[in-house]
């Protein structure tokens, strides 16, 4: 008997708990000729940047097949659909003239979702910066420039002005940590900059953009706003002072650098000192960054075991499909004895409970309600029993956190369907729905059927 056949039903969540699925514009929309270019278009045009040599020019062609995809969300029984708005589709130049056809697309998408009884949850930025903003100016282009944050707030106002009457729950940014680290420090995502710690202004300017966008959304009448940050527990490789210090440093970069200013109104000490030397009046900016939000989104995939740097002779290390240079002040180690996904990520559901209770303990009364804005896994096959096992374990982990008093309001699966997985191309499949990239046919997987039944049981 398969594991799922013998499994107990999921525990009952509160009646108002929000269940949803997630996607992002660049990964599914296609229709590249019907929008302005983004940094990802330029990045994927360079041979060797994407492991299978592909681009997202067509992707899942969601731009033309959105009605079919919304029907899949409705049939699943999800209460919400988290999608991202393509900044270069709305403002091809990053600012200035609006592409009316691009706004019209999101207008139709939101109407279709509302007609299907699904709440639209737009994310304003999921890494696809308009290429026009990324030209090298003084101090660099794109998110290295402070005025990109101001352009982002203007863009937020344009989108909210069109769909804010129907879309009630909004996300400003998705995973600024990854966009900073992978896109600007290590150069393994777009825009491909290899600045190492000189990329810190990118983090600050994204957070500033978040605060300015919150103000713009409030001015447009939006009353339910959050952000989607990626987080995971950091485990020292041993109890040695060297490993503990390295793990603390990693935890600051990937967790506290983005959570502390939003929740506590301050950066971790040494980060604040570094930023003050490069970005001007950080204290004044923090007043904007800490604009009140209604909930805090967490994207969760795995914990990370971290130790002191390995000897230089060991060379670069591989982690989650990335190459980490040996000069970093930490090294990422294997979590042994755990099953891994097709991406090589360890499956540790209980670490999600650890993360959520840890947030509660660290931030106390300052912590807004939490929403799991992404959680999922990459596995091949239509009979994706391992994805069912993964989701079942992580949903139970959320319920355990609820039982321990953590205020968690929702859970979004990543992803509705297979898609363009950034530098991996189409090699990794995170979807509840299989996409044939030749024919673009959608086929629900076993995990889709499992989740549909689980959501029916929750409603019952």
């Amino acid at each position: 008997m398969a594991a799922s056949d013998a499994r107990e039903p999921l525990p009952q969540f509160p009646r108002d708990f929000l269940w949803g699925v997630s996607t992002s514009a660049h990964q599914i929309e296609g229709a590249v000729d019907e929008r302005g270019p983004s940094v990802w278009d330029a990045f994927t045009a360079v041979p060797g940047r994407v492991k299978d040599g592909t681009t997202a020019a067509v992707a899942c062609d969601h731009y033309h097949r959105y009605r079919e995809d919304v029907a899949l969300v409705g049939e699943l029984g999800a209460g919400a659909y988290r999608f991202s708005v393509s900044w270069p589709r709305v403002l091809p130049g990053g600012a200035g003239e609006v592409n009316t056809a691009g706004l019209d697309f999101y207008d139709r998408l939101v109407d279709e979702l509302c007609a299907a009884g699904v709440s639209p949850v737009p994310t304003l930025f999921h890494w696809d910066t308009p290429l026009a903003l990324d030209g090298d100016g003084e101090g660099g282009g794109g998110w290295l420039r402070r005025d990109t944050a101001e352009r982002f707030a203007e863009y937020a106002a344009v989108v909210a002005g069109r769909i804010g009457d129907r879309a009630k729950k909004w996300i400003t940014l998705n995973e600024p940590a990854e966009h900073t680290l992978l896109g600007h420090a290590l150069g393994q995502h777009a825009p491909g900059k290899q600045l190492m710690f000189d990329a810190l202004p990118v983090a600050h300017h994204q957070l500033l953009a978040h605060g300015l966008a919150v103000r713009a959304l409030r001015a447009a009448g939006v009353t339910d706003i959050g952000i989607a940050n990626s987080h995971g527990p950091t485990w020292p490789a041993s109890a040695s002072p060297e490993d503990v210090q390295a793990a603390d440093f990693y935890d600051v970069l990937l967790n506290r650098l983005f959570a502390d200013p939003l929740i506590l109104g301050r950066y971790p000490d040494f980060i604040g000192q570094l930023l003050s030397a490069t970005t001007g009046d950080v204290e004044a900016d923090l007043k904007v960054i800490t604009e009140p939000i209604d909930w805090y989104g967490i994207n969760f995939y795995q914990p990370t075991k971290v130790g002191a740097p390995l000897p230089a002779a060991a060379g670069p290390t591989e982690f989650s499909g990335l190459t980490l240079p040996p000069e970093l002040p930490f090294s990422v180690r294997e979590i042994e004895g755990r099953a891994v996904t097709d991406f090589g990520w360890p499956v540790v559901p209980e670490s999600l409970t650890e993360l959520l209770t840890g947030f509660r303990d660290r931030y106390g009364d300052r912590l807004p309600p939490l929403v799991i804005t992404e959680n999922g896994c990459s596995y091949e096959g239509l009979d994706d029993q391992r994805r069912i096992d993964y989701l079942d374990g992580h949903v139970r982990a959320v319920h355990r956190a609820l039982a321990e008093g953590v205020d968690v309001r929702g859970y979004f699966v990543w992803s509705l369907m297979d898609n363009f997985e950034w530098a991996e191309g189409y090699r990794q499949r995170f979807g509840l729905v299989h996409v044939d990239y030749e024919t673009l046919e959608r086929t629900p997987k076993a995990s889709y059927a499992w989740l549909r039944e689980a959501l029916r049981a929750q409603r019952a």
Side-chain angles (χ1 to χ4, degrees):
M1 179 180 290
S4 64
D5 296 333
R7 184 182 292 114
E8 290 292 322
L10 290 176
Q12 202 69 26
F13 283 73
R15 291 187 63 84
D16 59 353
F17 192 84
L18 184 62
W19 299 93
V21 288
S22 302
T23 62
S24 89
H26 189 81
Q27 292 179 270
I28 68 168
E29 282 184 2
V32 66
D33 294 333
E34 299 180 61
R35 60 164 171 78
S38 78
V39 293
W40 270 96
D41 298 315
F43 184 83
T44 56
V46 178
R49 293 288 205 182
V50 177
K51 292 181 180 178
D52 63 3
T54 59
T55 75
V58 176
C60 306
D61 198 30
H62 173 73
Y63 186 81
H64 298 112
R65 305 174 69 120
Y66 69 93
R67 290 186 176 88
E68 180 180 358
D69 297 333
V70 170
L72 286 165
V73 180
E75 173 61 24
L76 180 65
Y81 174 58
R82 180 190 164 206
F83 62 96
S84 78
V85 177
S86 168
W87 189 351
R89 193 176 296 286
V90 173
L91 292 167
E97 186 176 354
V98 173
N99 174 24
T100 302
L103 268 182
D104 289 347
F105 166 69
Y106 296 109
D107 210 27
R108 295 192 301 270
L109 174 61
V110 167
D111 278 348
E112 195 77 12
L113 288 164
C114 292
V118 177
S119 295
V121 182
T123 300
L124 284 167
F125 181 69
H126 200 128
W127 303 354
D128 50 350
T129 312
L131 188 61
L133 295 182
D134 202 56
D136 287 331
E138 183 180 352
W143 288 104
L144 287 163
R145 291 178 58 90
R146 180 186 182 85
D147 60 5
T148 297
E150 297 165 2
R151 302 293 82 75
F152 181 73
E154 295 165 1
Y155 152 67
V158 169
V159 179
R162 175 61 76 91
I163 63 173
D165 58 330
R166 287 150 291 155
K168 303 302 182 185
K169 196 177 198 73
W170 288 67
I171 296 170
T172 54
L173 307 176
N174 178 78
E175 295 186 351
E178 276 67 19
H179 192 53
T180 303
L181 174 68
L182 306 182
H184 295 81
L186 301 179
Q188 295 176 36
H189 278 189
K193 294 179 170 65
Q194 296 177 304
L195 302 173
M196 296 299 286
F197 291 102
D198 288 338
L200 276 174
V202 172
H204 180 71
H205 293 152
Q206 286 181 91
L207 290 172
L208 178 61
H210 157 80
L212 292 171
V214 170
R215 290 181 175 179
L217 292 172
R218 299 280 189 218
V222 176
T223 59
D224 194 1
I225 306 171
I227 188 171
N229 274 331
S230 59
H231 292 293
T234 304
W235 298 345
S238 76
S240 74
E242 295 80 9
D243 285 346
V244 170
Q245 182 178 18
D248 286 346
F249 185 83
Y250 180 93
D251 190 62
V252 166
L253 285 183
L254 273 296
N255 288 316
R256 294 181 55 205
L257 168 58
F258 297 90
D260 281 14
L262 288 163
I263 300 171
L264 300 178
R266 62 177 183 267
Y267 282 106
D269 289 342
F270 78 91
I271 295 291
Q273 294 165 9
L274 289 172
L275 284 169
S276 294
T278 57
T279 59
D281 193 344
V282 171
E283 290 303 315
D285 288 347
L286 282 167
K287 292 181 172 61
V288 180
I289 291 169
T290 54
E291 280 290 322
I293 54 178
D294 303 287
W295 51 276
Y296 187 95
I298 290 179
N299 295 358
F300 174 83
Y301 291 95
Q302 61 180 319
T304 308
K305 182 187 286 189
V306 177
L310 296 171
T317 58
E318 296 295 320
F319 169 63
S320 296
L322 305 170
T323 301
L324 301 181
E327 61 267 27
L328 289 171
F330 57 83
S331 62
V332 176
R333 311 290 179 83
E334 178 184 357
I335 295 178
E336 299 175 342
R338 292 287 185 166
V340 297
T341 69
D342 286 353
F343 221 141
W345 298 351
V347 181
V348 192
E350 64 271 23
S351 68
L352 177 51
T353 308
E354 175 188 341
L355 175 73
L356 295 173
T357 56
F359 256 68
R360 186 265 321 276
D361 295 343
R362 172 178 284 171
Y363 297 113
D365 293 342
R366 303 285 293 273
L367 183 66
L370 300 176
V371 174
I372 305 302
T373 37
E374 283 185 27
N375 179 232
C377 51
S378 172
Y379 289 117
E380 285 286 342
L382 290 170
D383 185 11
D384 55 344
Q385 183 62 49
R386 290 181 297 171
R387 191 184 326 273
I388 295 172
D389 295 340
Y390 179 100
L391 295 174
D392 179 276
H394 285 79
V395 168
R396 293 177 191 276
V398 174
H399 194 271
R400 284 193 292 273
L402 275 168
E404 293 187 36
V406 183
D407 187 2
V408 188
R409 304 284 180 90
Y411 175 90
F412 287 73
V413 175
W414 183 271
S415 172
L416 170 63
M417 57 187 155
D418 297 334
N419 53 45
F420 178 78
E421 184 51 38
W422 307 113
E424 294 290 320
Y426 296 99
R427 304 193 317 163
Q428 302 291 342
R429 291 184 176 268
F430 279 84
L432 298 166
V433 175
H434 177 274
V435 177
D436 183 319
Y437 295 118
E438 296 296 324
T439 66
L440 298 177
E441 180 181 3
R442 277 81 158 137
T443 306
K445 303 176 187 179
S447 57
Y448 176 98
W450 171 83
L451 184 58
R452 180 180 59 203
E453 295 309 309
L455 295 182
R456 285 176 179 171
Q458 290 293 322
R459 290 193 298 272

